[in-house]
């Protein structure tokens, strides 16, 4: 078995770099502990998960307000009821939505009528204010989707994961997931710096001209790369950027995610990583990350726009030193409705395909599609006629 990896390390979109003692994931990412594949593949204790608090702290244009999940944290009830993020009716609708997604199983939710996230939110009757202040910044960050056009099936499944589990990061960074998986492979299997430019049957042609013959090929790249190698339709791309700050005199604190509920700039959310996972920075330093999903992620003025936005949030009180700007043209595939959550992993004779473009665009989807591809390979080896 050979794993040909184009870049200098394993993990793709799930990697962590150590820079002057700061742990920087490749973009701001979180792990939802309710992902079914998580416990299947990892010993949770080894990951040393550091958890965010449920809910959010929201910038409303003139002040911050907090919304929590009173079902899990009764302490959050007063601030959630009093928050001016939406009306009491909105908060009751939110509780109804949480109950509805908790009731359904994931396969049942994936069979529900599909529409855009925006249409679904409208159907549920939320007010414009609640959408603008809470749902839009939260889901544009998670789905990399400022227009809320992603399939409502994905929206409801993510909502379920948020409602039944926690949002977390491993203490050593998201990249530890990829490293643990690679460490489980025999020596010599993973070969970095090996860029496949073309497939001819089950022969891979590499950028340096070498040809690698195989009995079976599994293409485990992101959607656009897989489309090119296997001549499949391109699943489209949702860009995203992240700006990592050393916030020396940080004005913001807390284990809740900060959301921009006032459309005050391209940043939709911000996390004070070191309040959640102190291991992400040297002792005494504060690491914050701003997430910018959608076309704004690619704007040349990105960093200065985000700085202006932070200045609006906290005029003059903080020092934000940029550590790194990650610009990721392909953050996730588009996944518009109608959304098929289980696209085939077979791609012709002895050729298979996996990745987040086959299932939901998430670490869960990537892991699940990998398992489905492996099962298909084994099944076809045992009964070749079914291929
Ligand atoms: C900034 C950001 C935030 C995200 N946030 C979340 C989140 O909070 N929660 C969540 O669940 N998901 C999140 N996601 C999505 C999640 O990271 C992806 O869905 C998942 O990592 C996809 O994994 P994959 O293995 O399918 O593809 P990839 O991670 O893209 O891996 C593909 C690999 O193939 C290699 N490759 C590509 N082409 C070739 C070639 N021709 N030859 C050889 N090797 C090649 C690449 O170098 C790469 O290592 C986020 C993504 C981004 C970018």
């Amino acid at each position: 078995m050979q794993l040909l990896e184009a870049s200098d390390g394993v993990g793709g979109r799930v990697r962590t770099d150590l820079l002057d003692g700061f742990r920087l994931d490749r973009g701001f990412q979180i792990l939802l502990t309710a992902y079914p594949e998580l416990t299947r593949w990892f010993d949770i204790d080894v990951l040393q998960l550091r958890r965010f608090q449920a809910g959010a702290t929201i910038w409303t244009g003139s002040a911050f307000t907090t919304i929590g999940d009173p079902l899990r944290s009764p302490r959050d009830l007063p601030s959630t009821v009093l928050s001016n993020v939406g009306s009491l009716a909105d908060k009751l609708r939110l509780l109804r939505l949480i109950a509805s997604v908790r009731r359904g199983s994931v396969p049942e939710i994936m069979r529900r009528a599909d529409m855009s996230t925006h249409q679904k939110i409208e159907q549920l009757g939320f007010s414009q204010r609640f959408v603008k202040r809470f749902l839009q910044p939260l889901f544009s960050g998670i789905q990399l989707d400022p227009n809320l056009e992603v399939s409502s099936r994905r929206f409801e499944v993510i909502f379920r994961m948020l409602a039944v589990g926690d949002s977390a990061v491993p203490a050593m960074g998201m990249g530890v997931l990829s490293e643990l998986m690679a460490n489980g492979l025999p020596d010599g299997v993973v070969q970095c710096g090996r860029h496949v430019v073309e497939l001819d049957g089950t022969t891979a042609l590499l950028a340096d001209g070498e040809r690698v013959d195989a009995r079976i090929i599994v293409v485990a790249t992101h959607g656009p790369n897989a489309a090119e190698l296997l001549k499949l339709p391109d699943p489209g791309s949702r860009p995203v950027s992240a700006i990592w700050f050393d916030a020396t005199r940080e004005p913001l604190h807390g284990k809740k995610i900060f959301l921009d509920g006032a459309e005050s700039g391209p940043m939709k959310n911000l996390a004070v990583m070191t309040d959640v996972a102190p291991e992400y920075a040297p002792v005494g330093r504060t690491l914050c990350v701003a997430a910018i999903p959608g076309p704004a992620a690619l704007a040349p003025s990105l960093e200065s726009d985000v700085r202006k936005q932070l200045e609006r949030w906290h005029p003059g009180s903080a020092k934000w030193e940029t550590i790194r700007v990650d610009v990721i043209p392909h953050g996730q595939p588009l996944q518009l409705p109608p959304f098929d959550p289980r696209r085939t992993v077979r791609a012709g004779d002895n050729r298979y395909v996996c990745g987040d473009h086959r299932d939901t665009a998430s670490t869960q989807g990537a892991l699940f599609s990998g398992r489905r591809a492996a099962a298909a390979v084994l099944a076809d080896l045992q009964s070749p006629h079914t291929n």
Side-chain angles (χ1 to χ4, degrees):
M1 181 168 65
Q2 299 180 70
L3 194 156
L4 307 174
E5 165 57 50
S7 75
D8 61 355
V10 294
R13 280 166 275 173
V14 183
R15 288 182 70 174
T16 303
D17 304 300
L18 200 59
L19 212 71
D20 298 333
F22 291 96
R23 282 178 206 283
L24 310 185
D25 297 328
R26 302 248 172 132
F28 171 50
Q29 303 223 4
I30 49 171
L31 200 56
L32 300 181
T33 60
Y35 283 158
E37 293 297 312
L38 188 64
T39 42
R40 185 182 277 273
W41 290 102
F42 300 99
D43 176 346
I44 296 298
D45 290 341
V46 171
L47 296 180
Q48 302 179 67
L49 292 180
R50 305 288 182 251
R51 290 168 161 79
F52 286 80
Q53 267 171 14
T57 303
I58 301 166
W59 174 247
T60 60
S62 54
F64 289 98
T65 184
T66 297
I67 187 165
D69 178 358
L71 294 181
R72 278 195 288 178
S73 170
R75 253 189 337 190
D76 280 347
L77 186 60
S79 61
T80 304
V81 171
L82 292 175
S83 158
N84 64 357
V85 159
S87 63
L88 191 59
D90 283 321
K91 292 163 198 168
L92 292 173
R93 284 183 197 107
L94 186 65
L95 288 179
R96 264 207 304 276
L97 175 59
I98 292 172
S100 145
V101 293
R102 283 174 85 114
R103 241 191 345 263
S105 66
V106 171
E108 183 271 318
I109 291 174
M110 284 298 186
R111 286 194 299 272
R112 288 182 186 175
D114 203 9
M115 58 194 83
S116 71
T117 298
H118 182 70
Q119 284 167 328
K120 182 74 198 178
I121 287 171
E122 245 179 17
Q123 195 186 70
L124 293 168
F126 288 107
S127 71
Q128 284 303 320
R129 179 159 59 124
F130 192 70
V131 174
K132 179 176 156 188
R133 292 210 165 155
F134 180 62
L135 293 173
Q136 197 271 351
L138 180 66
F139 277 87
S140 65
I142 295 176
Q143 299 182 162
L144 315 185
D145 172 24
N147 297 326
L148 300 182
E149 57 186 22
V150 162
S151 152
S152 61
R153 291 177 175 159
R154 249 192 74 193
F155 162 73
E156 287 193 82
V157 164
I158 293 171
F159 221 104
R160 178 187 161 83
M161 300 293 150
L162 292 171
V164 302
D166 294 321
S167 303
V169 288
M172 296 300 131
M174 288 292 290
V176 83
L177 297 169
S178 313
E179 285 160 20
L180 286 170
M181 295 195 91
N183 291 346
L185 295 170
D187 284 350
V189 167
V190 177
Q191 300 169 22
C192 294
R194 307 264 278 164
H195 186 181
V196 179
V197 288
E198 202 181 322
L199 294 179
D200 176 8
T202 56
T203 297
L205 179 66
L206 306 191
D208 62 8
E210 193 188 330
R211 295 172 75 86
V212 177
D213 295 318
R215 188 170 160 207
I216 284 167
I217 292 250
V218 180
V219 174
T221 67
H222 69 39
N225 289 147
E228 207 179 310
L229 288 171
L230 291 165
K231 315 283 178 252
L232 295 171
D234 190 323
S237 296
R238 294 193 180 282
V240 61
S241 286
I243 308 183
W244 298 88
F245 293 108
D246 177 359
T248 327
R249 285 182 280 123
E250 86 284 7
L252 303 171
H253 270 302
K255 290 187 176 196
K256 280 184 168 43
I257 189 95
F258 286 82
L259 298 179
D260 176 34
E263 296 175 345
S264 66
M267 169 180 67
K268 293 295 175 193
N269 58 57
L270 179 123
V272 185
M273 291 307 290
T274 32
D275 280 353
V276 179
E279 296 85 352
Y280 265 61
V283 177
R285 307 287 281 276
T286 300
L287 179 67
C288 293
V289 60
I292 307 95
L298 306 177
S301 57
L302 174 73
E303 192 184 340
S304 68
D305 291 346
V306 169
R307 283 185 170 282
K308 282 183 206 142
Q309 191 176 359
L310 286 168
E311 182 64 22
R312 265 174 234 131
W313 283 25
H314 259 273
S317 62
K319 193 170 156 209
W320 304 91
E321 274 180 24
T322 302
I323 306 174
R324 192 175 79 185
V325 180
D326 294 325
V327 178
I328 303 158
H330 182 84
Q332 291 177 7
L334 290 179
Q335 305 208 322
L336 301 167
F339 172 59
D340 174 4
R342 266 175 171 247
R343 301 181 67 206
T344 182
V345 290
R346 290 188 169 88
D349 284 349
N350 297 318
R351 304 212 305 197
Y352 300 82
V353 57
C354 62
D356 64 347
H357 50 105
R358 300 283 106 191
D359 289 274
T360 53
S362 61
T363 26
Q364 157 68 22
L367 289 168
F368 184 48
S369 76
R371 188 156 62 81
R372 289 203 294 120
V377 170
L378 293 177
D380 294 348
L381 283 175
Q382 278 156 17
S383 357
H385 300 299
T386 63
N387 194 357

